[in-house]
Amino acid sequence: MFKLTVKLIQWNLTRNRLQLLIMVLAVIGSLSSYVLLGTALNEMSEKVVDVQRSDWPFDIEIIGNIDDEEMKKIMDIQGVKYIEEVYTTEAFVYSSEMEFLLIPKEDTKILIEMEVGNVPTNVNEIAIPGQLAAAYQLNVGDRLKVLPSISIPPIEYEISGIVSSKKGVVTKLLLNEEGFLRLSSLFSKKAIQLDGKVDIGFVEDELEKVDAGYIIEKYEENYSNTKNSLGLSDTMVMSLRFLILGITATSLAVLLYIGQRSGAYQTGVLLAMGIKKPWLMLPTMIQTTITFLIGFLVTAAILPFVSISLGLVTKPLDILWTLIKDVAVYYGVGLFSTLIITMQFLGTPIPKLFKDA
Amino acid sequence: MDNQIVAIKGDRLRRVFHLGDQEVRALDEINIEVYQGELVMLLGPSGSGKTTLLHTLSGLDAPDRGEVFVDDVSIYKLNDNKLSHLRSRSFGFIFQSFNLLPNLTALENVQIPLRITGQPNPVERSMEMLTRVGLGDRAQHRPGQLSGGEQQRVTVARALVSKPKIVFADEPTGNLDSVTSMEIMNLLQEMVHENNSACLMVTHNAELVPLANRVLNLRDGKMVNK
C-alpha cells in the first residue's frame, strides 16, 4: 500500500503542474505578506507610538551607580527595549523652574528639531523650546538669564536656536557640554524605553532587585498611552494576519478542490475498488506539505532581499526568524483547510464523482 | 457453471432522484439475483436506470428502499469501512472510461486491487494477468502509450486480478470499435467463466447480447422481462 500511496502522491503532484505552481505561488505570496505586512505594521506602529510618547521618549529613569554587570542585568529585564544615558538638570528661568538637557552626542531617541537657528555649539549658547520663546517673545541672538539656585548669581546665555514646537520634539532647554557644566556637574541618568507591553510596575520591581538603592522615576501616564496605542496596533496586525490566513486557506482550498475535481473519476474508481479514504487523504496532505515546504523555502530565500528593497528597519535575520516562528500556524491553517476540503470531496457519493468528472 | 449459487441479490430496490419538483424513479421495486459463473447483461434505453442499478448493487449508491445481499449480508447495513472492504475483496469494476492512473504503468495499475487488500505477490500475479489478457509485453507502458483497446484490457485485468466474486461492468465497450469490443467481451466472458465469477454488465450494444447467459431489460426503472 505504501508504494501505491507514493504513486498517488506522484499522481497528485504531476497531474496538474500549473495548478501546483499556482499553489506554490499562492503560498509564497501570502507567506511573504503575512510576515512582511506584519513587520511593516509593527515598525509603523512603533514609529507612531514613538512620536506619541510626548517630548520625552522614555518610560523610566534610574539614578544610581550602575556598573557594566548591572547594566547587563537591566537590559535582560523583560520588556526593556532601549537604554540611553542622559544628562539633565534643573534651574530657574524667569522665576520658573525648568529642565535643561545636555545635547546627546549620537544615537539618541530624543527628537531634536530646530525651528530657527542652531543647536548650541559653544559654552555661552543655549537653544530654547518654541513655547518659551513664544511666551517671552524671545528670538535667536537674545540673551537669557538662568539661575541655578538662589545663592548663585545668574548665568547668561545667548539664544542660538529655537526648538520646534512639533509634537514629540523635546521641550527642554538645550546646552552643549561646556554650557551644561556652567549650570551643573555631569551626573548621568539611565533613561529606559519599554516595549509598550510590559507592566511598568513589574520593571520597577525588577530594577529594585538589581539594586534596591536606585532612585527610580516612572512616567506612568505617558506609558499608559503608549500601551494603549501599541495594543491597538497589535490588534490591527493580528486582524491583518488573520485575514491573510483566511484568504490563503480559502484560495488553497479552492485550488485544491479544482485539482481534486480534475481527478474525480479516478478517485471514484479507486474508492469503488475499495481503497479506504484515509489512504486517499494522505497523498493530499503530503501534497499540501510539499507545496508549503517549497513555498517556505522560496519565501525564506527571497524575504531578506524583499525586506531590504522595501526599506524595512527590522533586520533580515529577524524577519526570517518571524517567518520560522509563524510558519507553524500558517502550515496548520493550510493543512486544516486541506483536510476539510478533502473530507468534503471524499464524502461525495461515488456515482456523483463519476458524473462530476 | 454452477448457476444455483446466488452471488448477489437485490430485493425490492427503489431509488428516487429529484430534479427540481419532478420525482424520477430510477429504480422502482427491482428484484434481481445474479448467480455465480453467469454473465448477465442489463439492457435498456438511456435513463432507464441501468447504471443506477449497477451502482446500487455494487455498493456505490445506497437505495432509498430495499436491500442488497452478498453472502446473505445486507451490504448497506455495513459501515463505510466494511463496505469498502467488501468491495475490495469481492467486487471488480470495469468502466466505460478506462480511467487508469496515468502515471502508473499497466503492471502497476493492475496491482492496485491487490495492494489495497494487501494480497501476496502482487507483481507476479499482475504480470500473469496481463499476460493472460495479451499485454505481457506492454506491462511497463503507461496508459498514454496504449491504445483504447489495450487500456480496456488493462482494466479487465485490473478488475479480475483479485479473482472477485462479482464483476460490475458499465458499458465496457462503449469507447471501443466493434472488432475490439468483441475481443474485450470474449476475453471478459472467458475469464469470468474461468474464475467462476458473476458478471453484471450494462450495455447499449445489442451485438454483444449473444455472449450473455441472461439478459435483463430495464425501462423507466422497472424490469420489463427476464
Side-chain angles (χ1 to χ4, degrees):
Chain A
M1 198 58 207
F2 176 72
K3 200 175 171 190
L4 178 60
T5 306
V6 172
K7 290 287 177 181
L8 288 174
I9 293 165
Q10 195 187 357
W11 179 54
N12 273 2
L13 290 172
T14 55
R15 76 168 181 263
N16 195 338
R17 290 187 175 90
L18 181 66
Q19 179 222 341
L20 183 72
L21 180 71
I22 295 172
M23 282 175 78
V24 170
L25 288 176
V27 170
I28 295 169
S30 50
L31 200 51
S32 306
S33 327
Y34 187 76
V35 175
L36 288 174
L37 275 175
T39 308
L41 265 177
N42 276 335
E43 282 185 13
M44 195 177 79
S45 68
E46 275 179 27
K47 275 192 180 156
V48 170
V49 167
D50 273 351
V51 172
Q52 283 183 342
R53 273 181 195 269
S54 82
D55 62 306
W56 196 237
F58 303 106
D59 307 304
I60 291 187
E61 284 172 13
I62 329 168
I63 301 169
N65 291 321
I66 302 170
D67 60 27
D68 288 348
E69 197 183 329
E70 285 176 348
M71 191 68 180
K72 197 175 170 305
K73 280 183 189 167
I74 294 169
M75 281 299 289
D76 289 342
I77 294 174
Q78 189 204 330
V80 171
K81 194 172 137 195
Y82 177 80
I83 302 181
E84 186 172 328
E85 191 166 45
V86 293
Y87 297 87
T88 59
T89 188
E90 283 162 0
F92 291 92
V93 177
Y94 296 116
S95 65
S96 301
E97 196 175 39
M98 293 190 182
E99 248 190 308
F100 292 73
L101 172 74
L102 168 58
I103 297 166
K105 282 174 184 153
E106 53 192 22
D107 287 343
T108 179
K109 289 267 179 193
I110 300 165
L111 187 59
I112 297 172
E113 196 179 300
M114 304 307 289
E115 199 171 278
V116 194
N118 302 305
V119 289
T121 51
N122 68 53
V123 67
N124 295 317
E125 286 184 339
I126 191 165
I128 60 166
Q131 295 89 334
L132 181 69
Y136 295 98
Q137 312 226 314
L138 296 168
N139 289 311
V140 173
D142 290 350
R143 302 196 77 79
L144 185 75
K145 280 185 181 167
V146 178
L147 194 64
S149 71
I150 307 293
S151 56
I152 300 172
I155 301 166
E156 209 171 64
Y157 292 97
E158 184 186 330
I159 298 171
S160 65
I162 295 169
V163 180
S164 165
S165 306
K166 279 184 196 167
K167 190 170 170 56
V169 178
V170 68
T171 54
K172 294 178 175 31
L173 290 95
L174 306 178
L175 295 165
N176 77 350
E177 193 173 335
E178 293 81 12
F180 189 89
L181 282 168
R182 291 175 70 194
L183 272 185
S184 157
S185 58
L186 283 178
F187 191 70
S188 78
K189 297 181 199 174
K190 296 285 186 262
I192 300 175
Q193 193 179 75
L194 302 179
D195 63 2
K197 290 169 190 164
V198 72
D199 181 55
I200 199 164
F202 165 81
V203 178
E204 185 185 20
D205 293 344
E206 292 298 306
L207 286 170
E208 278 168 357
K209 281 182 200 165
V210 176
D211 188 336
Y214 293 154
I215 298 166
I216 298 170
E217 191 179 350
K218 295 180 286 176
Y219 296 92
E220 282 186 278
E221 200 182 328
N222 274 352
Y223 187 65
S224 170
N225 293 338
T226 306
K227 255 179 118 171
N228 288 341
S229 301
L230 274 176
L232 273 173
S233 138
D234 278 355
T235 309
M236 226 166 87
V237 171
M238 285 285 286
S239 311
L240 190 80
R241 288 192 161 170
F242 192 72
L243 187 73
I244 293 171
L245 275 178
I247 292 169
T248 311
T250 311
S251 56
L252 282 182
V254 169
L255 283 167
L256 199 75
Y257 190 66
I258 292 168
Q260 284 175 334
R261 286 284 297 265
S262 74
Y265 207 107
Q266 282 93 341
T267 305
V269 171
L270 286 168
L271 285 170
M273 285 197 288
I275 195 165
K276 301 242 167 47
K277 286 173 185 170
W279 285 109
L280 288 175
M281 287 173 88
L282 187 65
T284 317
M285 296 293 116
I286 292 173
Q287 181 195 359
T288 304
T289 305
I290 291 172
T291 308
F292 266 91
L293 196 65
I294 298 171
F296 170 70
L297 291 175
V298 175
T299 309
I302 62 168
L303 214 51
F305 302 104
V306 178
S307 71
I308 290 167
S309 69
L310 288 177
L312 293 177
V313 179
T314 311
K315 288 175 189 157
L317 214 61
D318 292 336
I319 290 180
L320 276 183
W321 179 237
T322 310
L323 171 73
I324 291 163
K325 271 195 307 183
D326 290 347
V327 80
V329 178
Y330 194 78
Y331 170 64
V333 170
L335 209 59
F336 182 71
S337 68
T338 305
L339 190 72
I340 297 291
I341 210 76
T342 308
M343 279 168 70
Q344 196 267 340
F345 176 69
L346 293 178
T348 312
I350 297 169
K352 194 166 185 305
L353 285 176
F354 293 150
K355 276 184 196 157
D356 286 354
Chain B
M1 181 177 77
D2 183 359
N3 60 3
Q4 296 307 306
I5 301 171
V6 177
I8 190 162
K9 180 182 169 185
D11 185 25
R12 300 185 68 192
L13 298 173
R14 178 184 281 192
R15 186 78 173 97
V16 178
F17 295 112
H18 296 275
L19 298 172
D21 295 340
Q22 207 186 342
E23 191 179 79
V24 180
R25 289 194 175 194
L27 302 178
D28 193 359
E29 302 294 325
I30 298 274
N31 291 306
I32 182 174
E33 285 181 346
V34 182
Y35 301 102
Q36 262 182 248
E38 73 167 347
L39 195 160
V40 177
M41 284 192 194
L42 269 175
L43 274 85
S46 289
S48 59
K50 303 184 299 292
T51 298
T52 306
L53 180 57
L54 190 95
H55 287 161
T56 303
L57 287 171
S58 60
L60 303 182
D61 189 17
D64 297 311
R65 192 193 294 174
E67 288 183 271
V68 176
F69 294 95
V70 174
D71 292 335
D72 294 328
V73 173
S74 178
I75 66 168
Y76 287 107
K77 287 186 177 160
L78 300 173
N79 65 26
D80 197 37
N81 256 354
K82 284 186 177 163
L83 186 55
S84 294
H85 185 77
L86 175 80
R87 283 202 304 265
S88 66
R89 292 272 169 182
S90 306
F91 298 171
F93 292 91
I94 303 169
F95 298 100
Q96 181 179 0
S97 310
F98 321 122
N99 277 291
L100 299 164
L101 289 182
N103 64 323
L104 267 61
T105 62
L107 184 64
E108 288 167 338
N109 266 291
V110 175
Q111 289 173 44
I112 293 175
L114 301 175
R115 299 236 177 244
I116 290 173
T117 49
Q119 291 185 44
N121 307 319
V123 180
E124 292 77 9
R125 286 172 65 185
S126 303
M127 193 62 214
E128 200 179 301
M129 188 55 75
L130 272 179
T131 309
R132 184 73 190 74
V133 298
L135 289 175
D137 56 338
R138 313 280 277 165
Q140 296 306 326
H141 287 68
R142 292 183 195 281
Q145 299 166 311
L146 301 172
S147 69
E150 286 173 325
Q151 287 189 52
Q152 197 60 308
R153 278 168 191 267
V154 177
T155 62
V156 170
R158 185 177 69 181
L160 293 164
V161 70
S162 58
K163 298 194 188 314
K165 198 181 179 92
I166 310 145
V167 175
F168 296 96
D170 192 359
E171 303 203 34
T173 59
N175 285 342
L176 303 173
D177 61 64
S178 58
V179 177
T180 317
S181 294
M182 203 47 86
E183 273 177 28
I184 293 289
M185 275 312 299
N186 284 328
L187 181 71
L188 183 63
Q189 187 197 36
E190 204 179 306
M191 295 187 66
V192 162
H193 288 164
E194 203 174 286
N195 289 348
N196 198 28
S197 302
C199 179
L200 182 66
M201 187 176 117
V202 166
T203 186
H204 274 114
N205 191 345
E207 286 177 22
L208 305 177
V209 168
L211 296 170
N213 297 106
R214 202 149 49 102
V215 175
L216 302 173
N217 275 296
L218 272 178
R219 196 172 292 270
D220 299 327
K222 288 183 176 159
M223 207 72 89
V224 289
N225 72 314
K226 292 190 181 182

